[in-house]
Structures are given as structure tokens and as C-alpha cells.
Amino acid sequence: MHQPAITGHGVFTPQQSITNDELVVAFNAYADRWNAGHAAAIEAGEVEPMAHSSAEFIASASGIEQRYVLDKAGVLDPARMYPRLKPRADDEPSIMAEIGLDAARQALARAGRTGADIDLVICAASNHERAYPAIAIEIQKLLGAGGFAFDMNVACSSATFGIQAAADMIRTGSVRRALVVNPEICSGHLEWRDRDCHFIFGDVATAVVIERADEAQGAHFVIHGTRCATEFSNNIRNNDGFLRRAHDQMDDRRDMQFMQNGRKVFKEVLPMVSAHILSNMADEGWQPDDLKRLWLHQANKTMNDFIGRKVLGRVPDAAEQPNILQDYANTSSAGSIIAFSQNCEDLAPGDKGVICSFGAGYSVGSVLVERA
Ligand code: COA
């Protein structure tokens, strides 16, 4: 068995961002238009008027202050309320491959590697731009990587599930050097016209290089225990899929975008996550005091505060459990990797931490790492 390690990491951040204030102005303009268009039905008591959103609510309920997006104009257009992304021809790189490649190149540069050194590419994300061929195989080609590549989707947990899959293959020797890429175009599947969730997501891409620790070219993070768990729930769901036409459901339906029962997710996922992290640590003989850092999934600040307290047995300070959701919002599978990438280089050899992601499925994955 070989010892796997994370030897490189990278984040692609879109150039455009939307503050809560900007988002709320657009949403409220959309709500006013909708109410005007349904004035008679509202007057007759047949439908409820659409309520305004509030930037104060968003910041206090989630901790999110802004989000990055690939197309701001489309999202903020009250007559549209979703991004406008130019379709790519079959001979052009797909959008997910393009942004994933940017993050991948940063990760490879940090690892001191090139695409040719890679023999496994996993594109792990909560939605894929097309059914096939796999985005991962496109990235493999664009990078000049060898071996094989495949897509996987475990929603917000995709990154840690992808890391476990790659780490297991490094352990057994079936691959030598892997790239796990998480391009998340969440703006494409967020319902920007629903005030309960319109503030939740942003766009980003992340990547990590995983290889044998004894082949690392520089400072790296040895991967100790990896663990994944799932338990079926309908509380986070997206019903879009390839049977839409067969179901005669090509209309603009709410359930073709992200839907969640946020309160239930909160209550049900939190205990699952803290117990999961603690059991992964216990099996490795790690105590809470051994942890220098928690890089958690970035969905909600209160949620992360709760998990941090449960895992450490005390209130973590901001440096121990860094949040990036105030800047990026929830970026699905990429969130914990952004937190890791932006807050890991200061750790000293021997320092230990946990990368953990969780979400739809339900699903939760954790990766115990040690700086070397
Ligand atoms: N502006 C103003 N008010 C809003 C609002 C908005 N944008 N959105 C909702 N509200 C209102 C609701 O209508 C509700 O009003 P009511 O009390 O009169 O019914 C009130 O604010 C509270 O709404 P609720 O949805 O219960 O808020 P919350 O405290 O649960 O926070 C989330 C909402 C989404 C931030 C929170 O539930 C959450 O983060 N859940 C987990 C998310 C998660 O991890 N998801 C995984 C996705 S991968």
C-alpha cells in the first residue's frame, strides 16, 4: 500500500460578483413585476403576492455577503433571473472543462507537475454540463493527461468522495497521480426567483493533485483516514434529468432547479456530520486537541459554528475553522476545498486538519490530512 498525499491545490474564481444588496434589488424588482402581472389574482385572493427579499436576512441567516458568478447581467435582469452563458460548439471546450482546467493548472503548478504526469482525472461536481462524453475526459485531453478519467456526482460531497476514490487508487497502485476537479456552475441550477434560496449559491472551480507522498516534489498534506457516508433524503433535491422529455415536462417548473427544506437539512445533517468526523478521527487515534484546522463545507455560518463546537468540544477561533462563504456563498462541492486552498499553507509539519463536505443525498465525506 502506498501513502497518498495532496500535493497541489487551486481555485478558479470568476471575475464577476454580486453583493447581497445588488441581489435583493434585482429580486425585489422581479417580485414587483410578478405581483403587477398577477394583480387581479392577488386582488381576488387566489394567489399570495410575492414578498420582498432582504439583505439583512440573508447575512444573518446564512453568513453570506456576496457570491461570484459567471454571468452577473443575466442573474440580475428582473426579466430573466438566470445566467446567460453562450452555448459551446462541440469542438470548443465546455464551460466546466474550461474553469476546471484553470483550477487544475494552478494545482499542478503547486505540485510541480504537468498534465502529462497525471493518469487519473475525476470531475466531481453537483451537476454536469452534459450527459456524455464525461467532462473529466475532456479535461484529461486538454491537459495532455494519460490513464483514464470519469465524472462523479455526490452533490455537495463530491469533492471528498472524489478524494477518497483517488486516494484509494493511489493506495493500491492502480493509479500513480490523480487530479480531482470540482467545477461548480451553481448559478445554472439555482432558482434565483425564489427568495427562500436565491442567495445561497455561487460559481467557482477547485482542483487538488493527489499522488504518493514519497514522490511529492515539495510541502504536501499526507492523507490519513478518508470516510464517506450516505443516507437517502428528499430534503435537498433537483428533479431535472434526461427523462424530462419522456415525462412531457419540458416546461419551466420549480423542481427543475435546486430545492431544499432548509430547516430540516439544518437539523438532520448537523448531527450526522459531527458524528462522522469524530468517528473518522477516533479510528485514526486522533483526539480533538490534535486538530489545527477544520476546512468545512461552506453552506451556512451557523451550521459550521455548530459543527466546529461539536468536534473540538469548545468554540473554535476563526483561524481554526476558516469560512469563505461570506465571499463565495455556497459553492457546493468546492466550498471545503476553497477553504483548504486559501488556509493551509501556514500549517507547520505535523499539523493536522480535517476537510469535510456534506449535503444532498444526504451525503458526508471527510479527509484527515497532516502537513509534511
Ligand atoms: N428575505 C427575507 N425573508 C426571508 C427570505 C429572504 N430572502 N427567505 C426566507 N425568509 C423568511 C421566511 O419566509 C421565513 O418567514 P416566516 O418565519 O414568516 O415563515 C423566515 O424568513 C425564516 O425562513 P427560514 O427558511 O426558516 O430561514 P432559516 O433560518 O432556516 O435560514 C437558510 C434559511 C437556507 C439560510 C438555512 O435554512 C440553511 O442554511 N439551511 C441549510 C442549508 C444547507 O446546508 N443546504 C445544503 C445545500 S447544498
Side-chain angles (χ1 to χ4, degrees):
M1 285 289 197
H2 304 281
Q3 175 67 62
I6 297 175
T7 60
H9 49 85
V11 178
F12 161 82
T13 302
Q15 286 175 355
Q16 303 175 40
S17 60
I18 301 175
T19 64
N20 289 346
D21 284 335
E22 291 173 307
L23 189 71
V24 165
V25 167
F27 180 88
N28 292 349
Y30 165 77
D32 292 344
R33 284 169 67 105
W34 191 93
N35 290 340
H38 294 80
I42 292 169
E43 180 73 22
E46 290 158 18
V47 291
E48 286 290 317
M50 198 173 280
H52 276 188
S53 183
S54 135
E56 295 71 42
F57 171 86
I58 295 169
S60 69
S62 68
I64 295 164
E65 290 166 18
Q66 62 154 43
R67 68 284 297 140
Y68 292 95
V69 289
L70 293 179
D71 176 53
K72 179 171 178 170
V75 168
L76 294 187
D77 176 357
R80 183 176 173 91
M81 302 292 279
Y82 47 87
R84 181 175 279 109
L85 302 173
K86 193 170 128 334
R88 300 288 170 93
D90 289 356
D91 59 357
E92 289 180 291
S94 61
I95 305 172
M96 280 181 76
E98 189 174 282
I99 65 175
L101 202 67
D102 185 296
R105 289 202 167 115
Q106 294 178 43
L108 286 167
R110 219 174 232 118
R113 298 290 178 190
T114 67
D117 295 321
I118 297 295
D119 59 357
L120 167 66
V121 178
I122 300 178
C123 179
S126 58
N127 266 288
H128 289 90
E129 198 167 333
R130 60 169 179 264
Y132 44 81
I135 307 290
I137 302 176
E138 193 182 355
I139 294 173
Q140 174 196 26
K141 177 172 182 245
L142 291 167
L143 276 175
F148 63 101
F150 60 89
D151 289 351
M152 59 186 277
N153 176 354
V154 202
C156 289
S157 301
S158 298
T160 48
F161 278 56
I163 290 173
Q164 163 153 313
D168 281 349
M169 286 188 248
I170 303 282
R171 284 176 178 121
T172 61
S174 61
V175 303
R176 191 101 187 189
R177 229 161 265 125
L179 196 57
V180 180
V181 188
N182 320 107
E184 291 285 8
I185 310 177
C186 299
S187 62
H189 57 95
L190 174 58
E191 182 47 273
W192 299 92
R193 297 168 297 185
D194 180 346
R195 82 164 184 160
D196 287 341
C197 69
H198 76 121
F199 53 88
I200 289 182
F201 287 114
D203 299 335
V204 81
T206 55
V208 293
V209 174
I210 302 172
E211 57 187 310
R212 296 179 184 177
D214 59 13
E215 294 187 348
Q217 307 279 297
H220 55 278
F221 286 86
V222 170
I223 297 176
H224 292 288
T226 55
R227 179 160 301 180
C228 299
T230 52
E231 197 178 300
F232 188 73
S233 165
N234 276 320
N235 285 325
I236 313 172
R237 192 167 168 121
N238 183 331
N239 283 333
D240 200 1
F242 78 103
L243 290 179
R244 234 179 132 170
R245 186 182 63 162
H247 289 149
D248 293 317
Q249 289 180 347
M250 297 302 284
D251 49 324
D252 180 15
R253 278 181 28 181
R254 176 66 190 88
D255 65 331
M256 297 296 146
Q257 277 74 245
F258 165 86
M259 296 188 301
Q260 78 163 351
N261 188 336
R263 279 278 159 100
K264 278 200 173 154
V265 173
F266 216 103
K267 261 179 60 186
E268 293 172 8
V269 167
L270 283 183
M272 196 175 157
V273 172
S274 39
H276 173 94
I277 294 175
L278 286 167
S279 77
N280 193 2
M281 285 171 54
D283 287 356
E284 286 294 319
W286 288 22
Q287 303 301 317
D289 285 348
D290 295 336
L291 284 185
K292 275 279 182 309
R293 206 143 294 173
L294 277 163
W295 300 282
L296 298 178
H297 175 49
Q298 302 285 314
N300 183 294
K301 183 176 181 306
T302 311
M303 242 170 153
N304 284 3
D305 290 347
F306 179 95
I307 295 166
R309 265 199 319 275
K310 277 274 176 206
V311 170
L312 296 183
R314 59 179 169 77
V315 178
D317 65 45
E320 283 177 306
Q321 186 207 287
N323 282 328
I324 55 87
L325 57 80
Q326 64 282 359
D327 301 320
Y328 284 86
N330 183 343
T331 49
S332 197
S333 70
S336 57
I337 306 300
I338 307 173
F340 172 75
S341 184
Q342 297 185 347
N343 299 279
C344 70
E345 293 297 339
D346 61 313
L347 292 189
D351 284 350
K352 293 172 175 160
V354 180
I355 303 171
C356 177
S357 52
F358 48 86
Y362 295 132
S363 56
V364 50
S366 60
V367 180
L368 308 185
V369 296
E370 179 179 352
R371 179 77 168 179

